[in-house]
Amino acid sequence: MRIARFTVDNEIHFGAVQGAPGAETVTVLAGDPFYTGVHPTEQRHELADVRLLAPVIPRSKIVCVGRNYADHAAELSNELPTSPMLFFKPNTSVAGPGDPVTLPPWTEEVSYEAELAVVIGRMCKDVPVERVREVVFGYTAANDLTGRDVQRTDNQWARAKGFDGACPLGPWIETDLDTSALAVRSRVNGETKQDGSTRDMVFDVPFLVSYVSQAFTLLPGDVILTGTPAGVGIVDEGDRIEVEVEGIGVLPTVLRRCARGRTPRPPIHAPTDVPKEP
């Protein structure tokens, strides 16, 4: 099942997406599926008539895994970690499919990273590998935008990877997916840049979810980014990045720069637009 979050007639809803590409419809769900379950209503829209938002705004955290593909670690001249390398992105970094992302004025080397993202469905801690599927709500595509120059000079990654808009997610959450050998690709202005597979991960999805849950209590809607294959590069204003994860779909992002002397606007879909918990 594909679970989307969207806006139509100035209202925000969760919905179930159905149908073949180009002829999809979205059925409005009652309430928040992370807390009330998936309950379709009679209200339905053509997918082309709604605006897709980020499928989830984590109420708690986005946990990311660095250097989880050997070829990506090699292209940046980094050694492979002996255990998962974890870092955070704030929920204010989330952007939706097609949202323009304003590049910060303090970085000149922004790069893209196509990733499979895991969305947590229930509160959990210390989850055994064999029970990981019980706590996963589903999977979506992510773009781990990174200010490479700032990443080098800051000696930690918070600013380089946590700026507003640095975590596009979408286009929806696929709830039923075998993550063992999924193609993970990126395109910049139509040209393929990354073409990897989750089978090449150093640490696979079940191991990562279990490992992260040993460090942090995971809450419904938390997101885990699982790393990126080789092929990252520098992008700038006007570039269109498409992240594609097999079995999920395509997540587009367009980059822009703020005019000199102007303050960037806040993220388009900040956490305040999330429906209230029951």
Side-chain angles (χ1 to χ4, degrees), residues 108-269:
E108 297 297 328
E109 297 180 24
V110 173
S111 68
Y112 50 87
E113 295 188 6
E115 308 203 13
L116 170 69
V118 183
V119 184
I120 300 300
R122 53 181 282 194
M123 182 184 292
C124 57
K125 183 75 168 71
D126 296 326
V127 182
V129 168
E130 63 271 15
R131 299 191 63 184
V132 161
R133 191 64 193 90
E134 299 175 28
V135 306
V136 172
F137 185 87
Y139 308 90
T140 192
N143 188 349
D144 177 14
L145 293 172
T146 304
R148 295 292 179 200
D149 47 354
V150 174
Q151 186 181 26
R152 292 192 298 269
T153 58
D154 282 6
N155 294 320
Q156 49 80 29
W157 299 359
R159 190 164 64 124
K161 287 179 172 284
F163 60 86
D164 290 351
C167 189
L169 297 174
W172 40 61
I173 298 168
E174 174 56 63
T175 61
D176 186 15
L177 194 63
D178 179 355
T179 62
S180 60
L182 297 174
V184 179
R185 303 184 178 98
S186 67
R187 294 181 290 273
V188 177
N189 302 326
E191 180 181 352
T192 298
K193 297 295 187 178
Q194 295 176 279
D195 190 358
S197 172
T198 57
R199 67 173 172 266
D200 298 324
M201 286 180 173
V202 179
F203 307 103
D204 65 16
V205 168
F207 181 89
L208 289 176
V209 175
S210 176
Y211 185 88
V212 171
S213 76
Q214 294 170 39
F216 318 109
T217 296
L218 296 173
L219 302 180
D222 280 356
V223 174
I224 300 173
L225 271 57
T226 59
T228 195
V232 301
I234 304 303
V235 286
D236 207 341
E237 180 177 16
D239 286 336
R240 178 184 173 88
I241 307 162
E242 293 178 316
V243 169
E244 182 175 8
V245 178
E246 182 181 4
I248 297 174
V250 177
L251 167 66
T253 300
V254 177
L255 304 180
R256 65 184 181 188
R257 284 199 178 272
C258 187
R260 187 177 300 275
R262 293 181 57 189
T263 301
R265 296 180 180 179
I268 293 175
H269 305 306

